[in-house]
Amino acid sequence: MSWKDTLGEKLSAYAEAEFEYVETKNLDDVSKIDLGCSGIYMESTVIYFEIKNLAYVLKENGRRKMAQTYTMFKEVLDAVTKQDNAFVNCFSPNAFLIVYPGRDESLVPAVKGAMRIAHAISEDFKHQFSGIVGLEFAMGLDHGHIMGTKNLSDHGSERLTWFGSCIYKAMRICKECSRPFHVGISGSIYHSLGEDMRIAERRVLGLRKTVEVWTKVTYQYENVKKHLYQTNHKIPLE
């Protein structure tokens, strides 16, 4: 049998098979699915983290520096989010997907996580990132259900490919954000936050005042006018 015939049989088997999945909050359940027509299904809050101007950064810094930068970002994201039992997926050459499994209880940890990431990169470790010319980043957040499927036969979570409308909405929100507004969230997340996550004390004209930390922005998503909320508020690492 030729390779073409073998491929045809494999594609036919996939097309005719019933897709099976495991509904879970535990990423370790990836060991329960096989390579092929199976996956894991979970409700979660997702952070789409993007290096905003990859082509320019690559041109100015070169391939080796860009590869080092990607690794540095991955280290920051892993370290900041692991305490919340979130996991980081290498989504593309200029982006990461950070998943906080859970329902409403995942919203605040994810928003705080994004604010801590912004502080870590722009404040706590700015010296380490200062040698990268033209570096810009942003994050978009949304909540919903996602499906992960294996693209390799091992059980590593980073080998999963994720699908879900909340991922694509987070990507769209991220597109609207840039320095100093590194973090953007969907309207549904914003309206689920308590007052402690919406306001903060800041010094205005020499006086300490309580202010709203989110700015409302109108944007188009799937040809529908929607609102997102972006902020330059950051949370220092403990």
Side-chain angles (χ1 to χ4, degrees), residues 12 14 24 28 32-33 41-42 55 59 76 82 94 104 115 119 121 124 135 150 159 168 187 216 229 232-233:
S12 295
Y14 284 162
T24 182
D28 291 338
K32 298 179 181 179
I33 66 173
Y41 181 73
M42 62 174 63
K59 178 182 177 182
V76 171
K82 68 183 297 185
N94 72 319
D104 292 347
M115 291 177 172
H119 196 282
I121 296 171
D124 297 295
L135 186 64
K150 286 184 177 180
R159 304 298 188 184
Y168 309 122
K216 186 177 181 180
Y229 294 81
N232 59 0
H233 187 68

Side-chain angles (χ1 to χ4, degrees), residues 49-225:
F49 178 100
E50 183 180 59
I51 304 171
K52 296 289 287 185
N53 50 345
L54 180 64
Y56 177 79
V57 175
L58 183 60
K59 178 182 177 182
E60 294 297 316
N61 299 275
R63 291 184 294 271
R64 285 181 291 181
K65 192 68 174 179
M66 192 65 246
Q68 289 176 333
T69 303
Y70 195 83
T71 301
M72 290 167 65
F73 276 132
K74 178 67 163 53
E75 290 291 335
V76 171
L77 303 184
D78 278 334
V80 172
T81 61
K82 68 183 297 185
Q83 59 189 309
D84 296 319
N85 295 317
F87 57 90
V88 181
N89 179 266
C90 296
F91 195 76
S92 72
N94 72 319
F96 299 90
L97 184 69
I98 309 166
V99 179
Y100 284 73
R103 297 183 177 180
D104 292 347
E105 73 275 10
S106 67
L107 297 174
V108 171
V111 175
K112 286 184 176 180
M115 291 177 172
R116 286 198 294 265
I117 290 168
H119 196 282
I121 296 171
S122 61
E123 302 292 341
D124 297 295
F125 306 114
K126 63 181 179 181
H127 173 72
Q128 288 86 337
F129 285 95
S130 63
I132 306 162
V133 178
L135 186 64
E136 296 287 348
F137 70 92
M139 288 167 275
L141 286 76
D142 194 29
H143 181 88
H145 289 86
I146 59 175
M147 180 76 75
T149 62
K150 286 184 177 180
N151 51 50
L152 287 175
S153 58
D154 67 21
H155 295 324
S157 62
E158 292 184 14
R159 304 298 188 184
L160 294 176
T161 301
W162 293 96
F163 304 91
S165 58
C166 63
I167 297 174
Y168 309 122
K169 190 172 182 181
M171 293 169 66
R172 181 66 183 86
I173 290 171
C174 181
K175 187 176 180 180
E176 296 293 323
C177 299
S178 60
R179 185 173 54 172
F181 298 99
H182 292 295
V183 179
I185 61 176
S186 63
S188 61
I189 291 181
Y190 174 82
H191 292 296
S192 297
L193 297 179
E195 188 176 88
D196 61 320
M197 290 296 296
R198 294 189 189 183
I199 62 173
E201 280 196 357
R202 291 185 176 176
R203 190 171 294 277
V204 180
L205 299 176
L207 300 175
R208 295 198 67 83
K209 292 186 177 182
T210 300
V211 298
E212 168 75 48
V213 300
W214 299 95
T215 300
K216 186 177 181 180
V217 176
T218 301
Y219 73 111
Q220 292 284 125
Y221 181 69
E222 296 182 338
N223 297 319
V224 177
K225 183 183 292 186

Side-chain angles (χ1 to χ4, degrees), residues 15-30:
E16 295 168 5
E18 182 176 348
F19 192 93
E20 298 180 350
Y21 62 88
V22 176
E23 189 166 357
T24 182
K25 288 185 180 180
N26 187 355
L27 191 63
D28 291 338
D29 285 338
V30 66

